[in-house]
Amino acid sequence: MAWRSARDKVCRWINIWLTQFRIAGLKNQRPTARDAQGIIIIKIDAIGDFLIWLDSAEQYKKLYKGQKITLVCNAFCTDIAKNTGFFDEVISIESKKFEADNQYKKEIWKRFHKRMFHTLLQTEYSRTIDMDLLARNIPAKEKIAFVADESRMNLSRFITFRHIRKKLDNTYDRLIPSGEKNLMELERNAVFIRGLGFDFYAGYPSFPQVHVRKEIIPSKPYAVIFPGGSSGKKMWPIERYAQVGEYIIKKKGMDLYLCGGQNEAYLFRQFVEAVEQEEFKKSVHNLFGKTTLLELAEIIRNAELLIGNDTSGIHFAAAVNTKGVCIFGEFAYGRFLPYRCERDCKEHEPIIVCSAKKDCAGCAYNKITAACKEHLLKTGRYQCVDEISVEQVIQALSR
């Protein structure tokens, strides 16, 4: 089914590019009534990015005390958002469908036309065309956003004509300066809060404990492994995860629970096949697609440690205060990892990043090297991911 996935991705990007030609005739919606009230926040992010944002999200209740706060988020993040207690109302959007399906897009826009808000906050630094179009179609007296990310990390905006980008920027009454290019996302989110006039400094995000089935939490000490990822380019070879897993079973006496989406379940079979010691295989357990998102959060909270690629698992570990070790490709080094705090977080369990420390780190903002392009064609992975050794990860576990 890889061809179908590739076809859908191509169609989605073609539609995103074509969307800019429809922008000219779209009116920037404003309330017709004088008594428009409440705050609406747009945060249509993937799970990992959303978890990082929770640190600053907690501040909006303090900043807009006594006002109703409505959040518009990615459908994947709905349960997380509802269980934080930070928002009075949560409206979910299927983000990929919103980008690719124009009929669905119009239905979402229509849902907001009779709503009237006092303030709209577009909190995303890498705001896309569709995020801005959504803001344009929500009636609000005041609309505030970040000065947008113009790098190819934000491909939706990067491929858009300059005059269209300017029109989208004009949706907002105020654009908050987004700070230096090399800010970590925690710091960038704090910049937005400070831009609204609230004295706030970034720290680790925190996701409150939720009640789940007791039987879902293992009774024996265990580690969680997240071997999947949003892209194969960022995924460390499964055979190396198996070697690290054998070390954990042998030296630390823990069981292993492999987690991820149902579409990544094939990794469990590959992992077990790669485990050399036959007696260790009974200590490896399959949780791919077998938990809800909230159950997964509590499984990670109760684990001794989590090891994974640059994906949502490592950000869950940060949010529930579990030690994490991330095998990290350096494509966007510094933005989402390593974690950097502005306030004292010494008591928090660390998120340790294992990276190749290459000179070309941060190629999302520059050019990918010829050597890495060649490596990608041969292996399907970034060179910086492949250069991280088993010994380097075991060293991180021994700290």
Side-chain angles (χ1 to χ4, degrees):
M1 293 295 182
W3 66 271
R4 186 174 293 174
S5 176
R7 180 202 65 188
D8 291 346
K9 189 174 287 187
V10 169
C11 289
R12 185 163 62 93
W13 280 110
I14 289 173
N15 190 68
I16 289 170
W17 190 76
L18 290 174
T19 295
Q20 62 186 301
F21 296 105
R22 307 188 188 103
I23 291 171
L26 291 173
K27 185 180 177 183
N28 192 12
Q29 298 292 333
R30 298 293 185 177
T32 54
R34 293 182 181 179
D35 59 346
Q37 295 179 343
I39 312 300
I40 184 162
I41 302 172
I42 299 175
K43 189 66 176 174
I44 311 173
D45 260 336
I47 295 169
D49 300 356
F50 191 85
L51 287 165
I52 294 174
W53 180 67
L54 291 182
D55 175 54
S56 63
E58 190 174 359
Q59 309 310 311
Y60 289 103
K61 276 280 189 186
K62 301 172 186 175
L63 183 57
Y64 296 104
K65 198 170 183 179
Q67 299 193 54
K68 180 180 178 181
I69 297 179
T70 298
L71 173 73
V72 183
C73 69
N74 190 331
F76 290 124
C77 301
T78 305
D79 287 343
I80 299 172
K82 287 182 176 179
N83 280 275
T84 60
F86 302 160
F87 314 103
D88 300 296
E89 180 185 16
V90 176
I91 299 171
S92 61
I93 289 177
E94 295 176 48
S95 61
K96 288 187 177 179
K97 187 177 179 182
F98 187 65
E99 289 174 348
D101 186 334
N102 289 325
Q103 184 57 41
Y104 179 68
K105 197 191 304 277
K106 289 174 184 175
E107 288 171 9
I108 295 295
W109 292 349
K110 194 174 179 181
R111 283 172 62 183
F112 288 103
H113 281 177
K114 292 184 180 179
R115 304 288 298 269
M116 296 184 190
F117 299 93
H118 185 276
T119 303
L120 179 147
L121 302 174
Q122 178 73 267
T123 62
E124 181 61 46
Y125 171 48
S126 294
R127 51 183 171 86
T128 65
I129 293 179
D130 283 307
M131 290 177 189
D132 287 339
L133 287 177
L134 181 58
R136 204 168 178 81
N137 277 274
I138 297 176
K141 283 187 175 181
E142 180 184 35
K143 299 185 180 184
I144 304 171
F146 253 146
V147 171
D149 172 19
E150 301 288 359
S151 75
R152 62 190 173 91
M153 272 282 286
N154 186 12
L155 192 55
S156 168
R157 188 172 171 92
F158 189 74
I159 63 175
T160 303
F161 295 128
R162 186 177 297 177
H163 72 280
I164 298 295
R165 296 202 299 266
K166 186 175 181 181
K167 188 174 182 68
L168 290 171
D169 286 347
N170 288 338
T171 299
Y172 305 99
D173 303 288
R174 182 151 64 102
L175 291 174
I176 294 174
S178 47
E180 300 171 18
K181 185 176 73 172
N182 62 347
L183 288 181
M184 194 263 164
E185 202 75 351
L186 283 170
E187 297 169 307
R188 180 110 41 212
N189 293 334
V191 166
F192 191 83
I193 298 289
R194 292 197 289 269
L196 295 171
F198 193 64
D199 191 25
F200 171 70
Y201 295 91
Y204 275 87
S206 179
F207 182 62
Q209 189 168 4
V210 293
H211 295 293
V212 296
R213 308 177 272 153
K214 287 184 180 178
E215 62 271 20
I216 200 72
I217 308 297
S219 55
K220 183 181 175 183
Y222 64 96
V224 171
I225 295 181
F226 255 79
S230 58
S231 167
K233 297 174 187 177
K234 301 192 294 183
M235 288 167 59
W236 204 44
I238 195 70
E239 299 80 15
R240 296 185 208 175
Y241 270 116
Q243 291 177 57
V244 172
E246 288 190 85
Y247 168 84
I248 292 170
I249 295 168
K250 183 178 180 181
K251 296 293 185 181
K252 298 185 178 290
M254 298 181 198
D255 277 12
L256 304 177
Y257 286 81
L258 272 63
C259 297
Q262 184 59 52
N263 62 324
E264 298 170 327
Y266 68 94
L267 291 169
F268 179 78
R269 175 180 51 80
Q270 292 180 0
F271 184 98
V272 172
E273 287 175 357
V275 172
E276 293 182 357
Q277 298 288 331
E278 196 65 34
E279 68 271 22
F280 288 167
K281 294 185 179 183
K282 66 179 182 296
S283 297
V284 183
H285 308 277
N286 182 6
L287 284 182
F288 283 106
K290 296 184 178 180
T291 65
T292 67
L293 207 56
L294 298 182
E295 287 171 342
L296 178 62
E298 295 311 308
I299 287 168
I300 295 172
R301 192 191 303 274
N302 286 277
E304 300 295 320
L305 62 97
L306 180 144
I307 307 168
N309 299 312
D310 174 20
T311 188
S312 61
I314 203 72
H315 299 299
F316 259 125
V320 299
N321 201 15
T322 293
K323 178 181 177 180
V325 176
C326 182
I327 292 91
F328 187 54
E330 297 167 315
F331 177 72
Y333 190 90
R335 178 165 178 186
F336 300 103
L337 287 163
Y339 272 70
R340 283 205 309 262
C341 298
E342 296 174 324
R343 61 181 190 263
D344 184 6
C345 294
K346 290 177 183 176
E347 300 303 315
H348 197 285
E349 289 289 350
I351 300 297
I352 300 169
V353 169
C354 294
S355 66
K357 296 180 173 62
K358 296 181 73 65
D359 292 337
C360 55
C363 60
Y365 304 101
N366 303 298
K367 288 185 178 180
I368 190 167
T369 65
C372 193
K373 285 179 183 176
E374 186 178 344
H375 191 86
L376 266 170
L377 288 170
K378 286 181 180 177
T379 67
R381 284 184 296 276
Y382 288 122
Q383 193 175 27
C384 53
V385 174
D386 246 356
E387 288 186 7
I388 299 166
S389 67
V390 170
E391 290 73 24
Q392 187 178 348
V393 176
I394 288 175
Q395 247 182 8
L397 293 175
S398 303
R399 286 184 202 172

